[in-house]
Amino acid sequence: MKRITALSTIAVAVIALIIGRAFPVSVMSNDRVMADVRQSYRSASLVVSGECIQKINSGDNAQSRMRIDEVIAGSAREGSEILVKGSYTVGEKYLLYLIEDDDVQYAEDEVGYCSTSTDNFVIRDGNVEYGGLQIRFSEFRKEMDEISKVITAPSENYYYSDIRALVNASENIFIGRVNGASHMRSTKFRTQDGGSTVEKKALSANLTISVYGNIKGDIGYGQEINLVYVPSASENMTDAGTLQPKPVSADKAVKLSEGDTYLFFLAKDPDPKQDHCFPVNSIQGWIKVENDKLTVSDENGVAREYTDLSQLVADINKVK
């Protein structure tokens, strides 16, 4: 009888321990969360915080309307409403890493987005909840500020052998004046290479350009842009036609001087969130213009035959 009583006592104690025990939950480490933040931020064209104000549809077609509280990176208006693919809870606030998505459709005048993150970043009481952790929103800001200090550069650095290829590779072509230029300094750049992120430093200068006349693209008259000039980039070019190395010494480029006017050929922006533009390459990215006359680098085979701006612009318009 005593043995049974003893066993019963032990059983009760074990049950009590089981009931009172906090079983481990699958929780990400802080480092893993921040790794997801970095990946989500780099992939996004827009980063905002906002509140879900309406759920539209459900299941695979779930969409939610968000009101933007704060624009952290990218171009949007605080207080505006956007559609985001996925299911969110009305009344909850979220940190959103977004890219535009044509599949998100509800009203023609609304821009649709989808998230670049695998799960939702929920904002509550100054914290961000993600992966089973609560982390101060200020820590997320600090991480994103550090990421934004590294400039995303185009992964392609091609030299073009004909005018059609050069024009097709240029997202924007315009006439502009150099208003100012910084001193050369060591700058950290990030590129995407075969799905991998590569970071390295190079000497660069930042130039402020006022746009006078647009030939291709959506940069308009009167806009001011920031152009990143990396002299050494010309030494690592690839011929777009043959895919063979096409190195050109940086001193072969036409000099960019404050106060002078140029015809610029800009590459596609590798990161819409950042306020930087890049030339298609540092040999063919600009041509000096003075009284309709052109100064062309001897290494710029595409434009070397042109002496007048009007003739070059006419040929660009034929192929753009």
Side-chain angles (χ1 to χ4, degrees), residues 158-170 173 238-242 246 265 280-281 284 287 299-306 312 315-316 318-320:
Y158 289 128
Y159 176 92
Y160 301 94
S161 299
D162 64 84
I163 189 68
R164 184 181 296 275
L166 176 61
V167 171
N168 287 342
S170 302
I173 303 174
T238 299
D239 189 295
T242 65
K246 178 71 176 179
F265 298 80
V280 288
N281 61 57
Q284 299 175 303
I287 298 169
E299 300 297 328
N300 187 352
V302 169
R304 197 167 48 214
E305 63 187 81
Y306 293 94
L312 177 53
D315 284 355
I316 291 171
K318 290 178 183 177
V319 300
K320 72 177 183 181

Side-chain angles (χ1 to χ4, degrees), residues 158 160 166 170 172-174 227 237 253 256 262-267 278-288 300:
Y158 289 128
Y160 301 94
L166 176 61
S170 302
N172 288 280
I173 303 174
F174 63 90
L227 182 72
M237 291 190 298
L256 285 165
Y262 301 84
L263 176 63
F264 290 95
F265 298 80
L266 299 191
F278 288 84
V280 288
N281 61 57
S282 52
I283 296 297
Q284 299 175 303
W286 57 88
I287 298 169
K288 187 176 180 180
N300 187 352

Side-chain angles (χ1 to χ4, degrees), residues 65 81-83 106-112:
R65 180 173 281 109
E81 297 176 7
I82 58 174
L83 289 176
Y106 185 74
E108 290 184 0
D109 59 344
E110 287 186 294
V111 180

